[in-house]
Amino acid sequence: MLRTSASRVLDDQDRDEVLTLLDADPVANVFVASRVRSVGLSPARLGGQMWGFGPRGGLTSLCYAGANLVPVNAGPEAVQAFADRARRQGRRCSSIVGPADAVEKLWERLEPYWGPARAIRWAQPVMATSVPSPVPADPLVRQVRPEDFATLLPACVAMFTEEVGISPDLGDGGALYRSRVAELIRIGRSFARIEDGQVVFKAEVGAVTPQVCQIQGVWVHPDRRGRGHAVSGMAAVIGLTLRHFAPVVSLYVNDFNGPARAAYRKVGFKEVDTFMSVLF
């Protein structure tokens, strides 16, 4: 058994130190950094807790414990400390996600208590680009407007169900998911090609920091797949996000999704890291 120091729950007094740690790897940490920059570290606003490993002034690792459990820069001792706290608290998250090595070690320690998982995505390449795509962008991809909500929502539900394996309508009837879709539209972070009341292609910017934005929810209507909409649509999204949000665009994708990985490489993304996700 490794000898470890205990983790602790952080608060807004730790914000500057937390952001310094997050900014050391802005692509890997964009989701957590976006949350902290938006709402701070108060659990009531954060929608969970931020656990720290190391004393104030000497933080070395973090773990966001909200709807997702997300380790940050977590070496073996930090993983053990975070796993101990997570085990004592009980599972409150719908997934563990983050750098593959840390997530795998967390899951080794938590599986006897939290398992079995509904699904495990062992390798999810993290991809990034900082330049406009070399392929032509779809000129019909645009920011989604509030009046498009009813058109976009079924596409978002279909994407989520296809990707995660369960419907976002489970539990609360989809209220929280609908609210999130509406919020992304409201703040201009939802993009789509819509023809005759049907979504052909869509994607959202799920997280934004001054350094990086992260694309999520990429989806092409099943009837329109194989016609290049993913490539031209993503080329458009890269251009729009570089222009409006951050100097680097990132995403992560399942390693078994060959068509998506090929499309992302074609529009200019390069693999820079590997994530892992454990889904409950």
Side-chain angles (χ1 to χ4, degrees):
M1 175 73 70
L2 287 169
R3 297 181 59 192
T4 69
S5 302
S7 62
R8 60 189 178 90
V9 178
L10 305 180
D11 58 32
D12 282 329
Q13 294 183 70
D14 301 291
R15 185 178 186 274
D16 289 347
E17 191 177 3
V18 165
L19 287 175
T20 297
L21 186 54
L22 291 168
D23 288 348
D25 192 345
V27 171
N29 301 331
V30 59
F31 168 74
V32 178
S34 176
R35 292 289 298 154
V36 173
R37 288 182 182 278
S38 296
V39 299
L41 292 168
S42 165
R45 296 192 306 274
L46 190 62
Q49 296 178 340
M50 186 72 75
W51 303 337
F53 183 78
R56 182 162 289 161
L59 278 177
T60 60
S61 307
L62 307 168
C63 188
Y64 171 74
N68 311 301
L69 194 68
V70 186
V72 172
N73 198 45
E77 291 191 353
V79 165
Q80 184 67 59
F82 296 146
D84 289 346
R85 180 177 287 273
R87 187 180 65 250
R88 291 194 305 270
Q89 178 178 273
R91 184 175 70 81
R92 302 178 184 179
C93 60
S94 60
S95 69
I96 308 172
V97 59
D101 185 59
V103 171
E104 183 174 3
K105 288 181 171 60
L106 264 177
W107 183 232
E108 286 176 0
R109 290 160 174 78
L110 291 173
E111 183 178 14
Y113 307 94
W114 287 10
R118 183 173 55 80
I120 298 178
R121 309 288 168 78
W122 292 98
Q124 297 173 300
V126 179
M127 309 181 80
T129 183
S130 59
V131 296
S133 175
V135 304
D138 185 344
L140 297 183
V141 170
R142 59 171 175 82
Q143 284 182 315
V144 177
R145 297 184 286 265
E147 58 266 29
D148 299 316
F149 173 78
T151 299
L152 185 73
L153 182 62
C156 293
V157 171
M159 178 282 305
F160 186 99
T161 304
E162 184 177 335
E163 170 66 21
V164 180
I166 58 173
S167 170
D169 292 338
L170 295 177
D172 65 353
L176 186 63
Y177 188 72
R178 289 194 299 273
S179 175
R180 176 60 173 165
V181 171
E183 173 67 5
L184 289 174
I185 293 172
R186 186 188 68 80
I187 60 179
R189 284 166 38 183
S190 178
F191 301 91
R193 173 175 175 154
I194 300 174
E195 292 180 4
D196 300 322
Q198 182 184 79
V199 176
V200 174
F201 164 89
K202 76 160 198 75
E204 292 87 40
V205 178
V208 176
T209 71
Q211 299 96 334
V212 184
C213 63
Q214 186 180 75
I215 305 299
Q216 66 178 32
V218 180
W219 183 84
V220 176
H221 193 284
D223 294 344
R224 305 292 289 271
R225 292 176 186 174
R227 304 184 191 181
H229 289 296
V231 170
S232 61
M234 283 303 296
V237 171
I238 288 171
L240 290 164
T241 52
L242 287 174
R243 192 176 312 135
H244 295 293
F245 293 111
V248 175
V249 184
S250 73
L251 52 78
Y252 61 98
V253 59
N254 292 317
D255 63 340
F256 54 78
N257 192 341
R261 293 177 69 182
Y264 298 149
R265 285 193 295 266
K266 189 169 183 178
V267 298
F269 283 102
K270 291 181 171 56
E271 296 185 9
V272 297
D273 203 348
T274 303
F275 274 10
M276 173 179 166
S277 295
V278 179
L279 309 179
F280 301 108

